[in-house]
Amino acid sequence: MKFFTAFRKKSPWILHYNAGSCNGCDIEILAALGPKFDLERFGVINTGNPKQSDIFLVTGPVTYRSRERLVELYSQIPEPKVVIAVGSCTATGGVFRGMYNVEDGIDQYIPVDVYVPGCASTPQLIIDAIVKALEILETKSKEIEKPFKLFGAIAMVGNKLSRLNMATRVKHDEI
Amino acid sequence: MIWVWIALAPILGGLVYGGERVLRARMQRRQGPPVLQPFYDMFKLLDKRTLIVHAPHALLGVAHFFVLWFTVAAIFLGWNLLYIVFLHLFAQMLLILAGYSVRSAYSHLGANRELLMLIAYEPILILVAVGFYLQSGSFDIAQIVRGGGYLVQMPLLFVALAMIVPIKVKKSPFDVGEAHQEIVGGVEIEYSGLFYEFLYMSRFLEYIFIYSFVFIFAGVSYGLGAALVAGVFLLVNLVDNATARVRTMHMVKIIYAVALSLSIVNIMWIVL
Ligand code: SF4
């Protein structure tokens, strides 16, 4: 409904996922949530639960171990949702680019709305990115958004949508 | 008039919750969210796509909220204190059943912890009710608030009650039921959108439920009641900011060792 859309940007709940980062950017995210930068004054809560969050904050180049979880978590967030890629390695692979066990950026797997540069990126940049993401969140609809890869069918059970098989596992010969 | 208050109870609780978030932020030298933040959250949740695991699970959450609302209404109407404690028990049971009804391991863990919390605080609530009965000769709240001097006669019961307040409002050191860092919210984990909203609102009602127990300790003097509630509210938030979470079994042991013995000593002292 139109009336409630205005409140999306007043209460963004964050899901933070580490897709194999060096932890540098995760510490910056925690700093942004902590007393000094105090992201909570915008109504941000770090929920840790995909089913109740709006913003997906990802750090790290996608490693082979984490890609299924990344897609699974992304499909579990109810729409409208936005994805923020925090740190250079999340955007391009950064210092990990071309290594044998990484996938050079999360946009190979899920659509990204805001990229945050920097290795490590700063809390100020992360706050900027969240403010930008909220603008995007306001324009989004409740249409289902799909991951690019590792994506199963959207099935109908009765007249209800089932998300059970939206994320599929990596087959062994693909590795 | 009283019906208006009953209808507004969730909104009242929401204001308390919003105020508490600001207070806790200020204690940490932060600015904190606006006081109306819980309502912004609720409006936003209405605008999300709702994912349902299965219908009974969603329905149990809604039923939990409405039974809790009924409990709060019973408090406002001045009904029997024992009925109120057991109505609240019924509401908690619905929530625990909801937790067990899905296959998520975290949900089961949360339901287990919710049960242990129930085991910890339920005897204290009942003993507090018994204390009120011994003092005023009636279990009816309407009767109890006409008396006075409870604080003088049952100070240990008041301490015991203050100890279980953090369990009920999910604050450290006894926030084992929610424990976002280990079990991601426990029984709430599988709820989303519209149905999570009901659980979110039942948290507001829990505030009113437990703090009204604190309030009736003042008896006839409403000013003292408000002071007691404010004092316990401040104390709980101070302790929340200053302590870490204890383990579930430790929580039960601490409550039984300290709060339960304090209450029993107090009851014996009144009787003898
Ligand atoms: S961008 Fe740099 S600091 Fe941030 S997670 Fe990647 S490697 Fe670490």
Side-chain angles (χ1 to χ4, degrees), chain A residues 21-25 59-60 87-89 95-96 118-121:
Chain A
S21 87
C22 78
N23 265 337
C25 289
T59 56
S88 314
C89 67
V95 288
F96 301 113
C119 179
S121 60

Side-chain angles (χ1 to χ4, degrees), chain B residues 197-239:
Chain B
E197 186 136 8
F198 283 100
L199 286 202
Y200 201 56
M201 283 196 289
S202 50
R203 161 195 290 250
F204 305 164
L205 291 178
E206 294 277 12
Y207 276 82
I208 300 200
F209 170 77
I210 196 71
Y211 281 115
S212 51
F213 271 81
V214 177
F215 185 81
I216 52 180
F217 259 90
V220 74
S221 143
Y222 287 180
L224 179 62
L228 280 183
V229 169
V232 173
F233 188 72
L234 265 175
L235 184 72
V236 165
N237 281 298
L238 202 65
V239 171

Side-chain angles (χ1 to χ4, degrees), chain B residues 102-214:
Chain B
V102 288
R103 282 195 297 182
S104 156
Y106 287 136
S107 188
H108 282 206
L109 259 177
N112 281 344
R113 289 184 176 200
E114 207 74 41
L115 263 178
L116 282 169
M117 282 155 66
L118 208 67
I119 289 170
Y121 67 71
E122 202 65 19
I124 314 284
L125 283 184
I126 292 174
L127 284 179
V128 167
V130 169
F132 277 126
Y133 175 75
L134 292 175
Q135 276 302 308
S136 67
S138 164
F139 276 119
D140 288 345
I141 291 183
Q143 190 76 36
I144 290 170
V145 293
R146 258 181 246 133
Y150 300 114
L151 220 45
V152 185
Q153 282 301 315
M154 347 182 338
L156 300 181
L157 274 170
F158 185 72
V159 174
L161 182 68
M163 275 184 73
I164 63 165
V165 171
I167 307 184
K168 236 17 307 207
V169 297
K170 304 225 168 87
K171 292 270 167 284
S172 288
F174 299 142
D175 57 344
V176 290
E178 197 177 45
H180 267 288
Q181 299 86 344
E182 354 168 355
I183 57 167
V184 209
V187 283
E188 321 181 330
I189 186 169
E190 294 294 331
Y191 285 96
S192 67
L194 181 65
F195 290 98
Y196 180 59
E197 186 136 8
F198 283 100
L199 286 202
Y200 201 56
M201 283 196 289
S202 50
R203 161 195 290 250
F204 305 164
L205 291 178
E206 294 277 12
Y207 276 82
I208 300 200
F209 170 77
I210 196 71
Y211 281 115
S212 51
F213 271 81
V214 177

